[in-house]
Amino acid sequence: MHLVPMRSLTADLRALGVDPGGVLLMHSSYRSVGFVPGGPQAVVQALLDALGPDGTLVVPTHTSENSDPADWSRPPVPPEWWEPIRREAPGFDPARTPASRFMGVLAETVRTWPGARRSDHPQVSFAAVGPRAGDVVAGHRLDDALGEESPVGALHRLDGQVLLLGVGHDSNTSMHLAEWRQSDPPRHTAGASIRQADGTGRWVTWVDVDEDESDFDRIGADFETTGAAVVGPVGRATGRLMRQRAVVDFAAAWIAVHRAAALDRDQA
């Protein structure tokens, strides 16, 4: 157990290269940081202090459990449950629905932070705090979950940074934007429940890119060999900081080459 004061976290983030006044998308493991007096609140405050009053902090607040039960595998549910689940789910509400436990306690802390804004996608929402929060989360379409008009697309337009705090590139959601940028990405039908004005849930479906993060660790490792990611300590955690445009552009080129080659091998 190591004691990590909040002010030292802020210093570590600044030393890593967090842009004061910038837009920062963070993926995180709270436990990796060490023992911080004040807990998750202090860690989020350290991030906001590093960004300064003109900076904006963004986190994924995805709700993967709000999805078609026919696709569930960990664990699966009986087919006779599928329709009752779709019918009885209360429906995603940006103000009410917590982030999935897989997103971590820091993401949920940001979601509930005073002044936080959240996008309204029922499966891959993002929350943001800061003066550019509205620019990041507005207009999140069902059928462009992680594409150009999504929060990750907004981060690209705003030339933001990505921080992996104690997690690997398999959590680097920005790489999905590279999938959306492929010439003919695989697509699938998705579904979720959305809360209506009368408080009931309504099941909706849409078609979008079928995301695949199975090779993101490989992409990230290759990206880091270019020197475009800064790796260093943030408390007891390892932080990886990069410009989002750089990693998205690299991933788009990597996917175009390597996934096409893998498909050719499979079809041979």
Side-chain angles (χ1 to χ4, degrees), residues 59-229:
V59 294
T61 52
H62 301 175
T63 47
S64 55
E65 65 277 11
N66 187 17
S67 58
D68 194 338
D71 298 329
W72 294 356
S73 60
R74 294 184 293 177
V77 294
E80 60 269 23
W81 289 16
W82 296 352
E83 193 52 41
I85 289 172
R86 295 175 185 132
R87 183 178 64 249
E88 298 297 330
F92 175 81
D93 182 330
R96 291 177 171 83
T97 306
S100 165
R101 66 184 184 278
F102 303 112
M103 296 296 99
V105 67
L106 295 181
E108 182 65 2
T109 302
V110 173
R111 183 189 75 83
T112 58
W113 201 264
R117 301 278 301 275
R118 189 184 192 185
S119 70
D120 56 8
H121 196 284
Q123 286 179 357
V124 291
S125 65
F126 291 77
V129 175
R132 305 306 298 268
D135 297 328
V136 172
V137 304
H140 197 173
R141 298 198 331 254
L142 284 175
D143 61 351
D144 193 37
L146 299 169
E148 301 296 341
E149 301 304 319
S150 74
V152 289
L155 202 80
H156 195 277
R157 292 190 296 276
L158 294 169
D159 192 21
Q161 295 176 297
V162 173
L163 172 65
L164 304 178
L165 182 59
V167 298
H169 285 279
D170 58 333
S171 297
N172 196 341
T173 305
S174 291
M175 289 188 190
H176 287 300
L177 179 58
E179 295 182 302
W180 263 249
R181 291 184 166 187
Q182 299 304 302
S183 59
D184 187 23
R187 295 182 180 273
H188 71 143
T189 299
S193 181
I194 299 177
R195 189 176 189 272
Q196 304 301 293
D198 63 0
T200 62
R202 179 171 67 91
W203 188 260
V204 298
T205 61
W206 65 94
V207 176
D208 203 352
V209 173
D210 190 5
E211 65 269 18
D212 176 12
E213 62 273 4
S214 62
D215 52 10
F216 280 11
D217 275 333
R218 290 176 58 203
I219 298 172
D222 287 352
F223 173 72
E224 289 190 16
T225 66
T226 70

Side-chain angles (χ1 to χ4, degrees), residues 16-54:
L16 197 65
V18 168
D19 283 344
V23 180
L24 178 70
L25 171 59
M26 177 188 67
H27 304 275
S28 61
S29 165
Y30 168 66
R31 289 186 177 182
S32 71
V33 176
F35 183 87
V36 183
Q41 176 186 341
V43 177
V44 171
Q45 188 61 62
L47 285 152
L48 294 173
D49 288 348
L51 285 163
D54 297 325

